[in-house]
Amino acid sequence: MDIVTDLSTKIAEATVPDEIDLAPLIAEAFIRGGKEKESLFGRQESTELGAFGLFEGILLFPWILKGIAVASPFILKILSVDDENLSIINNLLSICDKLKIKEINSKLPERYSSVLTTVFNTFSTELKASGLPDEQCEKVISNVVITLLKDPSVSVIFVEKVAGSK
């Protein structure tokens, strides 16, 4: 399995399980760019409302990829932190998600909290454009970052490919 297929499947599994089968194809089309990428953001004719999946006639995974692309400079900074702080960020995101704590920046050193806050703010803007409610946006972003933190060296390649889409 290549990096795009593997990570897009893992991200979809953590965020939009209804779209797991489509995620690798969506990611490839997103990365290729052009009309294929544009078509990912159109309304689908016969979709059903899912947990975070097919939402009001749209696929959510393209919006997740767009969020990753837009927030990529900041995501790459998070992925490049040293192992000790990487595990602190990962654990903190998991705890905050489980406890529904919104203020994560008071628990991290300033140099990481500001980058993480920027990731959430930038990424959230893209997800909100899809119509996803704020509370679900935060959960999706947390799950994307947690998934990317599981293998930072591979995630860097994935994020760079998504960010470099045309």
Side-chain angles (χ1 to χ4, degrees), residues 67-156:
I68 291 170
V70 171
S72 65
F74 310 104
I75 292 172
L76 291 171
K77 283 184 184 179
I78 290 171
L79 293 173
S80 68
V81 301
D82 60 69
D83 287 340
E84 182 182 329
N85 287 306
L86 198 59
S87 99
I88 290 169
I89 291 170
N90 194 14
N91 291 337
L92 185 61
L93 283 172
S94 296
I95 291 166
C96 288
D97 184 49
K98 286 180 180 132
L99 298 177
K100 307 222 182 301
I101 299 170
K102 294 186 181 191
E103 272 307 309
I104 56 173
N105 45 349
S106 62
K107 310 276 192 269
L108 285 173
E110 171 61 31
R111 64 180 185 230
Y112 302 124
S113 66
S114 63
V115 173
L116 198 53
T117 299
T118 304
V119 166
F120 272 77
N121 292 339
T122 307
F123 203 141
S124 183
T125 300
E126 297 306 320
L127 285 180
K128 287 177 187 175
S130 75
L132 193 65
D134 290 354
E135 143 186 330
Q136 291 177 342
C137 288
E138 291 176 13
K139 184 169 182 63
V140 167
I141 296 165
S142 289
N143 288 338
V144 168
V145 174
I146 289 167
T147 302
L148 293 174
L149 288 172
K150 289 179 181 174
D151 192 348
S153 59
V154 171
S155 296
V156 165

